Amino acid sequence: MSDKQPSEWQKSITGDWHGFPAVYAPDGTHVGVNKVTRSSVFEDGKTTYWMKTDFDAVGQLANRFECGEFGFGVLDSDQNRIYTGPDLIGSGRPFGPLVDSKYFSPGWNTDLRTINHVIEERGVQVYSSQLFEADTLVAVFNGLYVRTHDHDTNPETQRTVAEFLENEKKIGKKPFLLPQKQSGTWTGNMDVYNVQQEKVGVNQVTIKYTPITLLRARMDVTIEGVINRQFSYERSRYENHHQYHGPDVFGNAIAYGRYLFGIQHFYGEAMKFWSRDVMLDANNTLCSMWQFYNSQQEEFTTFGVLDWTPGDFVLKAQYL
């Protein structure tokens, strides 16, 4: 028997996770779903990751990603989780309740960036995978997972999971849309980790949102805590393509259903941040991950849940 203990991340993901991630082509077209059950099991000093997949997709991606059951080794630690194959080869970086992984799938012939964020108070894991050939995006998977410990034996748990999965299957392809006519404010706390993966504090985030037209809005962002910044910009949307027009940050983003991936550059500085913003529910709740870079080098990884408080309707019916 080994006296090795599981990492804090490994402890946080014990149990079975059930999800129905949506599957997207590179341009953001929804092409199907993938029913998944997965678990990471620590036993006798060794960690094994299990995953069963069942794709229901159309076109080339359906043939490419149908692989059945995964079972691969993991060298578990809170600094690096190293995936030792045969299904996945690479590593993941834990930041408390979030892990940011980059690895290669020989069966899919893709390099992946996968982000899993466990929101304990909501009982869900917020998942996304961007799949690449070299630097070329070939697919995106994303969706929420729910955890169980007695799914195989408890009929009530089975019913709860079935209802959750059916709902995920329906709403997984819903587009990332901000309120078109109503102003409001997002507020919340985002945990802050440095490049050594140490938690160094919390940012208090406030985003004031004001629609200008049905496809354009003004954002006024205040960050206080470890990072102290105020910046404003106008954003626009065409289909699932988003653009940020300054004056303080410039950049763009593309949405894959409820998930928006973007990059914003601070004007006149060697600063930018990469973002993954997820519309969690019908109340416009955002689950955000913002990764800040200084002089092209990662400086802080921040993440948290931002709650929406509606304001006035600013685009009202017009009359002659």
Side-chain angles (χ1 to χ4, degrees):
M1 297 292 290
S2 171
D3 58 0
K4 182 181 178 181
Q5 297 299 309
S7 67
E8 291 305 310
W9 170 257
Q10 178 62 34
K11 293 176 186 176
S12 75
I13 59 170
T14 57
D16 296 322
W17 294 90
H18 310 266
F20 229 139
V23 181
Y24 296 91
D27 65 355
T29 301
H30 179 260
V31 297
V33 292
N34 179 23
K35 185 179 181 181
V36 179
T37 302
R38 53 181 167 85
S39 62
S40 183
V41 179
F42 179 87
E43 189 174 51
D44 196 21
K46 295 181 179 180
T47 301
T48 306
Y49 201 106
W50 303 99
M51 185 166 67
K52 294 181 180 179
T53 66
D54 184 10
F55 272 84
D56 181 9
V58 298
Q60 180 187 9
L61 296 184
N63 296 320
R64 179 168 189 165
F65 294 119
E66 185 61 81
C67 283
E69 185 168 338
F70 287 56
F72 57 93
V74 181
L75 298 179
D76 171 47
S77 79
D78 281 310
Q79 192 65 35
N80 293 297
R81 285 172 65 81
I82 300 174
Y83 313 127
T84 57
D87 304 287
L88 300 178
I89 298 168
S91 63
R93 300 175 63 207
F95 297 90
L98 180 146
V99 68
D100 186 356
S101 300
K102 295 181 179 179
Y103 51 87
F104 177 68
S105 166
W108 292 344
N109 186 28
T110 58
D111 208 70
L112 293 89
R113 182 181 187 181
T114 295
I115 298 171
N116 284 311
H117 178 190
V118 177
I119 308 178
E120 194 66 42
E121 61 270 24
R122 287 176 172 260
V124 298
Q125 188 176 123
V126 184
Y127 156 83
S128 67
S129 283
Q130 298 162 288
L131 299 93
F132 301 88
E133 287 187 28
D135 292 333
T136 301
L137 185 70
V138 297
V140 173
F141 307 155
N142 62 51
L144 305 183
Y145 280 77
V146 66
R147 174 170 33 198
T148 67
H149 296 282
D150 60 353
H151 184 265
D152 290 342
T153 59
N154 190 329
E156 182 59 34
T157 300
Q158 294 167 8
R159 283 191 292 271
T160 300
V161 169
E163 291 173 1
F164 173 83
L165 294 180
E166 187 61 29
N167 187 58
E168 275 292 291
K169 188 175 181 179
K170 291 178 181 178
I171 68 175
K173 60 185 178 182
K174 281 188 173 294
F176 185 97
L177 294 179
L178 302 182
Q180 290 185 289
K181 298 181 179 182
Q182 187 175 36
S183 66
T185 305
W186 281 280
T187 56
N189 294 330
M190 298 178 74
D191 291 344
V192 183
Y193 287 76
N194 62 19
V195 292
Q196 289 77 34
Q197 297 157 259
E198 302 164 331
K199 185 176 179 179
V200 293
V202 176
N203 286 336
Q204 293 81 45
V205 176
T206 300
I207 305 173
K208 294 183 179 179
Y209 171 82
T210 308
I212 300 171
T213 70
L214 295 177
L215 297 175
R216 201 173 185 99
R218 176 183 172 91
M219 312 285 279
D220 296 293
V221 182
T222 300
I223 305 174
E224 298 175 305
V226 179
I227 300 170
N228 291 283
R229 280 186 173 269
Q230 288 184 297
F231 53 96
S232 299
Y233 59 96
E234 287 189 12
R235 66 183 297 151
S236 64
R237 178 181 65 83
Y238 175 72
E239 296 177 345
N240 62 324
H241 299 270
H242 299 242
Q243 190 170 355
Y244 311 118
H245 302 276
D248 299 322
V249 295
F250 292 81
N252 60 18
I254 186 168
Y256 297 87
R258 299 169 287 172
Y259 286 62
L260 182 72
F261 299 88
I263 296 177
Q264 299 184 47
H265 300 262
F266 289 94
Y267 182 73
E269 302 181 58
M271 289 286 296
K272 67 179 180 181
F273 67 98
W274 179 94
S275 59
R276 185 191 78 167
D277 295 306
V278 183
M279 194 66 71
L280 280 183
D281 54 34
N283 297 321
N284 298 317
T285 307
L286 289 176
C287 176
S288 294
M289 175 186 173
W290 299 346
Q291 203 161 46
F292 289 84
Y293 290 79
N294 189 350
S295 191
Q296 306 299 338
Q297 298 183 23
E298 179 189 326
E299 187 172 35
F300 295 111
T301 295
T302 77
F303 50 87
V305 175
L306 305 178
D307 294 312
W308 167 256
T309 301
D312 296 330
F313 280 91
V314 295
L315 298 180
K316 299 179 181 179
Q318 300 173 343
Y319 306 93
L320 292 178

